[in-house]
Amino acid sequence: MGSRMGDRIFLKDEKLPFCKGCTHTNIAESTDRALQRLGLSPLDVILVSDIGCHGIIDRSMHTHTVHGLHGRSVALATGVSTAIENSGQKVIVFIGDGGVSIGMQHLIHAAHKNYDMTVVVHNNFLYGMTGGQPSELTLQGFRTPTLPGGAEDPPEDICEIVASTGANHVCRIVGIGDISLPLADAIAKPGFSLVEVMEICPSYGMKANPGMKLAKMIESSGLEIKVFADRQKPAFNQTRKEEPPSLLDNRAAIPRSFESGITRPLRIMISGSAGEGVQTAAELLARSAISVGLHVTKKGSYPVTVGIGFSASEIIISPRPIMYTGSPTPDIAVVSSADGLGFALPTLGRMKDGLVVADSSLHVPHGAYRTVKKDLRKLVGARDAALFGVMNLLKEESLLPLEAMVEQIKSNRNGQKLKVDKLLAALS
Ligand SMILES: Cc1ncc(C[n+]2csc(CCOP(=O)(O)OP(=O)(O)O)c2C)c(N)n1
Ligand code: SF4
């Protein structure tokens, strides 16, 4: 039963874009009637369409429409649904069996969470828009142009899968005649609902399966035409949820306590070994720079196996806001171990000038930079060598007041372990 064009409210008065006899037309027209049954008006509806023949319906709709990527329409609809929750508007997803196959996890997630939307699966057993490839929902024995021998395996039962997630309403229907009633039932339900409409694609499905009887094929496939779930759970509701605490809540602001004479951005690399306090040294340097009123960025680099190998950090300190956080060539490098030197070598090779502070044991190659060797490891031990290297740098080059660093060490959560007096004694 097709609606006369004049009866349409949600669809434009124009010929729909599908091939003659395509069930997509019936679904679109039945959806119009279903929405009329519910007394809705076009701007009460957000249609999220997927990629595929069914998806080109959106240009024929008077409703709001959003066109998603293939298989991702449900993910998009979860965002839409969350954004408009409690508005009284309805989110309807049009998706093909191809999109369901490609984006299955999005569907399962939305169903499991019971997002407020109705998903209408246009199951014509093949990828129509791209010429008739089979999908996960292709019936066993159903032939397609690219599978002339017919599908060997039974289809995935999307209704069983979605119903098993606890979704509110799930049903499978045959897309022949007026299907506006089951569509209206599903759309009226709060929470997640899915209607799988079994279809025919005359252009590929009928041609590859001449004389096929839709109802008979479904019956012999073992898929049931029925309501799989009809629950009353409340829909997912973001506003019910309590705002989680921010990660920044427990971070106290660093007060400005010292002055610095730095007039240009400086890029500092600290490179050492995993477990030898490189990231702590970098953090303390960053915090010290903030305490003298500078802008700071800090980036850590280490292998995925964080407990072995090199550990490095790039810090930019600047009197001006830092618009680009990359630091391909540092002005200063502090190298506290052989691992650190191995990692830093390509970077040192790019330095045109600047300074390298390195442990005395390391063979730092000659370069365009000035090298200062210090007994970092011998004087304070491996664990504090990187921090001690940074302290040497501050002292020798008057980069920042050493007191700023001492202050940060003392107030650091690991400050006790760092034994600042021992470090200061070794420095003098
Ligand atoms: C991620 C991704 N893979 C593949 C495609 C190519 N593609 C476009 S339409 C389509 C088939 C759509 O089939 P279906 O979802 O069943 O909808 P129908 O055309 O049958 O209505 C495919 C595979 C794509 N656009 N995006
Ligand atoms: S190719 Fe098939 S699915 Fe696409 S519009 Fe034509 S009949 Fe419908």
Side-chain angles (χ1 to χ4, degrees):
M1 179 175 136
S3 62
R4 291 194 313 275
M5 285 203 192
D7 299 335
R8 293 177 178 178
I9 292 180
F10 297 84
L11 282 168
K12 292 181 186 163
D13 273 341
E14 62 186 26
K15 197 174 167 319
L16 297 188
F18 308 117
C19 305
K20 194 162 174 281
C22 177
T23 311
H24 289 359
T25 300
N26 187 31
I27 296 180
E29 291 181 336
S30 293
T31 302
D32 188 322
R33 283 192 295 274
L35 295 169
Q36 291 187 45
R37 281 178 186 274
L38 298 174
L40 295 165
S41 49
L43 296 185
D44 293 333
V45 177
I46 297 100
L47 179 86
V48 185
S49 55
D50 209 84
I51 298 290
C53 293
H54 62 277
I56 52 179
I57 191 65
D58 49 12
R59 67 175 189 221
S60 302
M61 302 293 297
H62 281 306
T63 64
H64 300 284
T65 55
V66 191
H67 200 61
L69 297 175
H70 201 203
R72 316 295 165 205
S73 53
V74 176
L76 201 54
T78 57
V80 175
S81 172
T82 308
I84 61 156
E85 70 186 12
N86 305 327
S87 70
Q89 290 169 301
K90 292 286 181 187
V91 178
I92 300 177
V93 176
F94 274 11
I95 188 168
D97 50 301
V100 165
S101 306
I102 287 178
M104 183 84 73
Q105 179 53 33
H106 299 301
L107 192 60
I108 291 171
H109 171 76
H112 175 63
K113 294 273 182 184
N114 211 19
Y115 278 96
D116 195 5
M117 68 174 77
T118 299
V119 176
V120 182
V121 179
H122 296 55
N123 186 5
N124 56 13
F125 319 126
L126 48 73
Y127 288 35
M129 187 176 260
T130 43
Q133 297 80 8
S135 75
E136 304 301 327
L137 308 192
T138 303
L139 300 179
Q140 193 169 24
F142 187 85
R143 289 188 288 275
T144 82
T146 62
L147 200 64
E152 286 183 9
D153 299 319
E156 285 175 19
D157 188 332
I158 193 63
C159 289
E160 287 283 13
I161 293 171
V162 170
S164 75
T165 67
N168 262 2
H169 184 79
V170 181
C171 72
R172 177 179 293 123
I173 59 176
V174 180
I176 297 172
D178 183 9
I179 53 169
S180 62
L181 202 53
L183 286 172
D185 280 352
I187 296 166
K189 273 244 143 163
F192 189 92
S193 56
L194 178 139
V195 181
E196 183 187 9
V197 187
M198 307 305 255
E199 284 201 34
I200 299 169
C201 160
S203 298
Y204 298 115
M206 291 285 263
K207 277 195 190 138
N209 301 270
M212 113 179 200
K213 294 272 177 283
L214 182 61
K216 218 161 170 211
M217 259 203 110
I218 298 166
E219 197 188 320
S220 56
S221 74
L223 294 181
E224 290 180 279
I225 303 296
K226 66 170 191 179
V227 175
F228 288 75
D230 199 29
R231 304 181 176 103
Q232 305 291 339
K233 290 193 319 188
F236 176 88
N237 193 327
Q238 187 69 37
T239 49
R240 279 203 319 259
K241 304 223 173 303
E242 270 179 33
E243 197 62 28
S246 162
L247 290 174
L248 299 178
D249 283 352
N250 295 328
R251 309 290 290 187
I254 301 169
R256 181 170 181 168
S257 318
F258 301 93
E259 295 301 321
S260 102
I262 288 180
T263 53
R264 68 176 181 96
L266 278 177
R267 294 168 179 77
I268 303 161
M269 178 192 214
I270 308 173
S271 195
S273 292
E276 295 190 359
V278 172
Q279 303 306 326
T280 303
E283 183 180 334
L284 290 167
L285 174 60
R287 294 178 70 90
S288 308
I290 294 170
S291 77
V292 302
L294 296 171
H295 297 267
V296 180
T297 66
K298 171 179 166 291
K299 187 176 91 180
S301 302
Y302 26 80
V304 282
T305 48
V306 293
I308 54 165
F310 72 90
S311 176
S313 185
E314 293 166 16
I315 300 115
I316 304 176
I317 60 177
S318 169
R320 297 184 293 278
I322 301 163
M323 310 309 279
Y324 174 62
T325 58
S327 173
T329 311
D331 301 294
I332 299 166
V334 176
V335 185
S336 60
S337 75
D339 286 325
L341 182 60
F343 177 73
L345 277 178
T347 312
L348 300 188
R350 286 196 299 274
M351 285 172 70
K352 299 271 181 292
D353 50 19
L355 170 67
V356 176
V357 178
D359 186 70
S360 317
S361 64
L362 301 174
H363 299 290
V364 180
H366 285 296
Y369 41 80
R370 184 162 56 92
T371 304
V372 175
K373 294 276 191 83
K374 293 280 176 187
D375 276 339
L376 305 178
R377 304 178 75 82
K378 213 183 266 177
L379 284 175
V380 298
R383 283 189 63 85
D384 292 335
L387 177 58
F388 192 50
V390 174
M391 292 175 79
N392 271 280
L393 172 68
L394 300 194
K395 183 180 172 219
E396 301 273 326
E397 303 298 315
S398 306
L399 270 193
L400 307 172
L402 194 57
E403 299 78 35
M405 173 64 94
V406 171
E407 189 79 4
Q408 289 306 320
I409 296 173
K410 284 182 177 167
S411 60
N412 184 268
R413 58 189 182 284
N414 294 322
Q416 296 291 328
K417 282 194 221 149
L418 291 171
K419 302 206 172 38
V420 69
D421 293 341
K422 193 180 130 199
L423 292 169
L424 286 172
L427 202 57
S428 52

